[in-house]
């Protein structure tokens, strides 16, 4: 109990509201007592409210499915996805590796005659699958052959150019470092390394060509999916890549397959696939040992 001193009478001051008014001692004590009870009650209500609010939060909801966050494999997808590898390029028709991003808009990176036919076939495959019946967004790499493929897809499926969204970096062809300019036979060496570890990079080179591991590509395609899942909801998205590795690594991540086995999901030029996260490929035992990936991309 707060007691006012005897024979004490303070003058009411608006500049000091904490001072009690000038009242007889008994009334002053009652006033101070009521103030004390009100303060204590208010603190208790506030504390209980805050505690109740915290305990009522949906703490069982996975943090990863909050908007803007994306994990592989995803607990759910907000959109429908179709993966398309572009038709063959002029470089590929000559059997030459070309992954330097400096040349990605070069006409030599455009579709070969066979690549144009492959892209037309891909466009009609999408039409047969009904991918764009209710409209769709087409996300091609800015690489010449991928963008040309996207234009063919849009034309065959009656999609306006405003629904073609060029991607400037996340869908670049996988950088193969020192293998740049060599024959396509060298790709087998890269896949042999991929089967050992997702972190092994091709030999480096100083001409600006990246030398990317499977894990590097996985980061890029995960960032792409994060953008798409944040930007769209309930839409259909057609992803057009200039090479197979972007798509095989992306699909492996989506279905929870060990990334070291992404080659099993390789895409041929002009191939189209619908993404089904429940479609996990049948496990194949490697010749060396049995391994299982529990946390992508760290499967070592």
């Amino acid at each position: 109990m707060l007691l006012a001193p005897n024979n004490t009478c303070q003058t009411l001051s608006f500049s000091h509201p904490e001072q009690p008014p000038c009242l007889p001692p008994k009334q002053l004590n009652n006033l101070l007592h009521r103030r004390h009870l009100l303060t204590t009650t208010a603190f208790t209500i506030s504390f209980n409210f805050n505690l109740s609010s915290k305990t009522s939060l949906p703490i069982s909801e996975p943090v990863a499915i909050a908007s803007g966050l994306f994990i592989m494999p995803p607990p759910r997808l907000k959109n429908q996805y179709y993966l398309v590898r572009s038709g063959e390029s002029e470089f590929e028709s000559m059997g030459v590796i070309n992954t330097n991003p400096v040349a990605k808009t070069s006409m030599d990176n455009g579709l070969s005659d066979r690549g144009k036919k492959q892209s037309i076939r891909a466009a009609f495959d999408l039409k047969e699958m009904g991918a764009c019946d209710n409209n769709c967004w087409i996300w091609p790499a800015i690489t010449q052959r991928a963008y040309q493929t996207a234009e063919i897809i849009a034309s065959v499926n009656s999609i306006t150019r405003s629904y073609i969204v060029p991607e400037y970096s996340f869908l670049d062809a996988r950088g193969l470092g020192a293998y740049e300019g060599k024959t396509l036979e060298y790709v087998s060496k890269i896949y042999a390394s991929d089967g050992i570890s997702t972190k092994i990079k091709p030999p480096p080179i100083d001409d600006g060509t990246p030398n990317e591991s499977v894990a590097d590509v996985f980061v890029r395609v995960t960032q792409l999916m994060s953008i798409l899942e944040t930007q769209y909801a309930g839409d259909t998205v057609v992803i057009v890549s200039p090479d197979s590795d972007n798509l095989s690594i992306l699909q492996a991540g989506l279905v929870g397959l060990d990334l070291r086995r992404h080659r099993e999901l390789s895409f041929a030029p002009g191939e189209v696939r619908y993404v089904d996260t429940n479609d996990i490929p049948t496990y194949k035992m490697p010749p060396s040992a049995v391994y299982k990936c529990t946390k992508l991309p760290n499967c070592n």
Side-chain angles (χ1 to χ4, degrees):
M1 172 84 56
L2 298 176
L3 298 175
N6 291 331
N7 302 323
T8 300
C9 185
Q10 297 178 353
T11 303
L12 182 62
S13 172
F14 290 101
S15 62
H16 295 284
E18 71 275 6
Q19 290 182 347
C22 186
L23 296 172
K26 184 175 181 180
Q27 294 184 23
L28 180 60
N29 285 338
N30 290 339
L31 176 62
L32 292 175
H33 180 59
R34 286 196 300 272
R35 286 183 180 177
H36 176 69
L37 288 176
L38 288 172
T39 302
T40 304
T41 304
F43 172 78
T44 304
I45 293 173
S46 175
F47 176 79
N48 288 337
F49 175 78
N50 292 334
L51 183 60
S52 299
S53 299
K54 291 180 179 179
T55 55
S56 63
L57 290 174
I59 57 177
S60 60
E61 186 77 7
V63 176
I65 68 174
S67 179
L69 301 178
F70 193 82
I71 60 171
M72 294 277 206
R76 63 184 176 88
L77 289 174
K78 294 193 293 185
N79 304 293
Q80 288 188 322
Y81 294 94
Y82 291 83
L83 308 182
V84 182
R85 179 180 174 180
S86 68
E88 176 191 71
S89 71
E90 293 286 359
F91 276 115
E92 289 172 324
S93 70
M94 296 184 287
V96 177
I97 294 174
N98 183 271
T99 60
N100 192 322
V102 173
K104 63 186 178 181
T105 58
S106 166
M107 289 307 297
D108 289 333
N109 250 320
L111 294 171
S112 66
D113 289 339
R114 182 166 59 178
K116 292 173 183 176
K117 295 177 182 178
Q118 293 166 339
S119 297
I120 292 172
R121 186 192 67 201
F124 278 100
D125 285 345
L126 286 166
K127 189 176 184 66
E128 185 177 344
M129 298 166 76
C132 299
D133 285 354
N134 297 313
N135 214 345
C136 64
W137 294 94
I138 305 174
W139 275 62
I142 196 63
T143 306
Q144 190 71 247
R145 63 185 180 274
Y147 196 83
Q148 289 175 342
T149 299
E151 289 181 315
I152 293 172
I153 291 172
S155 176
V156 170
N157 289 271
S158 303
I159 301 299
T160 62
R161 293 178 65 89
S162 61
Y163 281 84
I164 300 178
V165 184
E167 215 306 304
Y168 288 85
S169 59
F170 293 147
L171 280 174
D172 283 355
R174 180 183 178 184
L176 300 183
Y179 295 127
E180 184 76 1
K182 297 187 181 298
T183 60
L184 292 174
E185 283 75 15
Y186 280 86
V187 173
S188 61
K189 293 186 177 182
I190 297 168
Y191 286 151
S193 298
D194 290 352
I196 297 171
S197 171
T198 61
K199 298 179 182 179
I200 297 178
K201 298 174 178 282
I205 193 173
D206 59 3
D207 69 347
T209 303
N211 58 320
E212 294 184 295
S213 65
V214 171
D216 293 331
V217 176
F218 180 75
V219 170
R220 286 199 283 111
V221 296
T222 301
Q223 290 173 323
L224 172 68
M225 290 301 298
S226 180
I227 292 171
L228 294 174
E229 284 291 283
T230 303
Q231 186 165 335
Y232 304 117
D235 290 315
T236 297
V237 182
V238 178
I239 298 173
V240 186
S241 170
D243 71 347
S244 172
D245 285 2
N246 281 336
L247 302 179
S248 61
I249 292 171
L250 171 57
Q251 187 175 16
L254 290 172
V255 301
L257 182 69
D258 188 327
L259 295 181
R260 291 176 294 184
R261 298 170 54 206
H262 78 91
R263 188 185 179 187
E264 299 174 20
L265 302 175
S266 293
F267 283 67
E271 185 173 353
V272 178
R273 291 183 202 164
Y274 171 68
V275 173
D276 186 349
T277 54
N278 295 319
D279 185 20
I280 300 177
T282 304
Y283 182 80
K284 297 179 182 178
M285 183 182 297
S288 58
V290 176
Y291 53 74
K292 181 184 294 184
C293 184
T294 56
K295 187 176 182 181
L296 294 171
N298 300 314
C299 302
N300 302 319

